[in-house]
Amino acid sequence: MRRFKRNCTNAEGGKCLGRSSHLLNKVRSRKRSVAPTTTNDTLIDVGWGSYWMGLITIGTPGQTFDVDIDTGSSDLWIPGVQCGTPCGANHTFNSSLSSTYTALNKPFSIQYGDGSNVAGIFGNDTVCIGGICIANQTFAIATSANGMSTQVNDGLLGMGYQNIATGGEMPVVWSMYLAGQLSLPIFAFWVAPVSTGSDTGELILGGYDTTKYTGYFAYASVTTKGYWEFIADSVTLTIGSTTTTIATSINAMLDTGTTLGMIASSAYANEIYSMIGATYNAAIGWYTINCHTQPLTAFPNITVTIGGVPFTLTPPMYLRIVGNPNNYYCLCLLSTGDFYDANRQPIWILGDFFMRRFYSVFDM
């Protein structure tokens, strides 16, 4: 399981800057060049919920890639034939096989919060997701990488704003939106709440799936455009009738590129660890809990309130049982990390193990 893969293009003092998240924002006008549509890209569960891959094609004829869908970055990059084993993956892009490829001779590099990094060159070609294609889309071809050799995904599709794209290029989903190819200027992300090793999720461009949720959406405006960033009202822990407030009015983001349920600054995370009885296990690099001798009901619920609506994780949602029926413990899917947004303000990351419990719609 990976812990997080945040874009560290804007770094200061060794700390990542500038990510954001939101659910729905204000609809803006767009130019229609073709009849708008909606497409559904099936997502594949990798590593029992570690991350989620979607299918895209690049070039003419299309070359197929299974990319990690990441709302916490904005670049599209795929492995080139030169990268080989360091890029991991199962598919590589051969520019000589595409009749629509244009070389840009512009270098590309990106570093992520888990220490991995990729370098290569930018190019232009036709990129398709589902039935929607965009011509002359800028993307990166990786020629070298570190920390990627065990990955099964063929690169990464960033879904953030243009101003955090490392080369200043327009991200794919935004290109589709600005070309008027989406029925609505939104995309929606859903994955199954419990992994079975084979279940899937979906990324919908231009719409959302009403069969995947009940109730109504909570709205949170984007506060800093770059990553998808919003203000969460509060974070609380509840055991029985006792509720403890950990933080109020926090900067937060929804990040499909982070496996963990939540990453908070050390002060807040340590308070949560204390309340749930988590201790750091240096041998495995995780905070763990003794859930063998006490039931999961003994641990608190963790609630993040957004737009006045509580989003609650029960203990089975933020703990993962490891071991066998006679000897096991629980990994804590909450982590500590001092991250900052583009305004140098501390920011909480709400990752896959949070998002998989709720349906998320991103309004461009």
Side-chain angles (χ1 to χ4, degrees), residues 4-308:
F4 57 90
K5 188 174 288 294
R6 290 191 68 241
N7 179 356
C8 284
T9 303
N10 302 316
E12 180 177 275
K15 299 175 181 178
C16 297
L17 300 175
R19 292 229 17 209
S20 60
S21 112
H22 80 318
L23 298 183
L24 286 176
N25 191 19
K26 183 179 180 181
V27 177
R28 298 185 298 175
S29 61
R30 57 190 171 157
K31 178 181 178 181
R32 292 185 186 274
S33 59
V34 295
T37 188
T38 299
T39 191
N40 183 329
D41 195 20
T42 298
L43 303 181
I44 306 301
D45 182 350
V46 179
W48 297 79
S50 290
Y51 60 98
W52 300 83
M53 298 190 308
L55 179 68
I56 69 170
T57 64
I58 301 178
T60 306
Q63 300 176 43
T64 300
F65 302 94
D66 295 309
V67 291
D68 184 355
I69 306 298
D70 183 17
T71 59
S73 66
S74 297
D75 297 282
L76 166 61
W77 68 264
I78 41 87
V81 293
Q82 307 96 318
C83 196
T85 302
C87 277
N90 297 304
H91 306 96
T92 57
F93 182 73
N94 188 335
S95 60
S96 66
L97 299 180
S98 174
S99 63
T100 48
Y101 175 77
T102 302
L104 296 181
N105 298 316
K106 178 180 178 180
F108 163 77
S109 65
I110 190 169
Q111 181 173 337
Y112 296 100
D114 61 357
S116 60
N117 60 79
V118 177
I121 57 172
F122 282 104
N124 280 355
D125 212 331
T126 299
V127 177
C128 299
I129 304 176
I132 302 179
C133 296
I134 191 76
N136 299 312
Q137 173 64 45
T138 300
F139 68 103
I141 304 170
T143 56
S144 64
N146 292 295
M148 295 286 183
S149 60
T150 61
Q151 300 294 310
V152 299
N153 57 293
D154 308 318
L156 185 146
L157 174 63
M159 307 286 285
Y161 284 86
Q162 181 183 11
N163 61 341
I164 61 166
T166 59
E169 73 278 10
M170 186 67 66
V172 175
V173 68
W174 292 88
S175 294
M176 293 176 173
Y177 156 63
L178 293 173
Q181 296 198 41
L182 304 183
S183 296
L184 295 171
I186 63 175
F187 62 89
F189 185 85
W190 172 86
V191 294
V194 178
S195 289
T196 64
S198 61
D199 49 16
T200 59
E202 66 179 14
L203 170 68
I204 297 181
L205 304 181
Y208 53 92
D209 187 346
T210 58
T211 69
K212 293 298 192 296
Y213 66 91
T214 59
Y216 301 93
F217 287 111
Y219 290 80
S221 296
V222 177
T223 54
T224 302
K225 294 180 179 179
Y227 309 107
W228 298 95
E229 182 175 349
F230 61 94
I231 300 295
D233 302 334
S234 64
V235 178
T236 59
L237 271 65
T238 301
I239 301 178
S241 59
T242 302
T243 296
T244 300
T245 299
I246 302 297
T248 59
S249 190
I250 60 170
N251 300 304
M253 68 181 84
L254 296 181
D255 181 14
T256 60
T258 292
T259 300
L260 293 169
M262 187 181 300
I263 300 178
S265 65
S266 54
Y268 293 126
N270 289 337
E271 186 174 357
I272 295 174
Y273 291 146
S274 177
M275 290 191 64
I276 64 179
T279 57
Y280 186 70
N281 185 327
I284 61 174
W286 288 83
Y287 278 83
T288 63
I289 292 175
N290 178 8
C291 57
H292 184 71
T293 59
Q294 51 186 331
L296 292 182
T297 54
F299 301 101
N301 292 339
I302 300 177
T303 298
V304 181
T305 300
I306 303 170

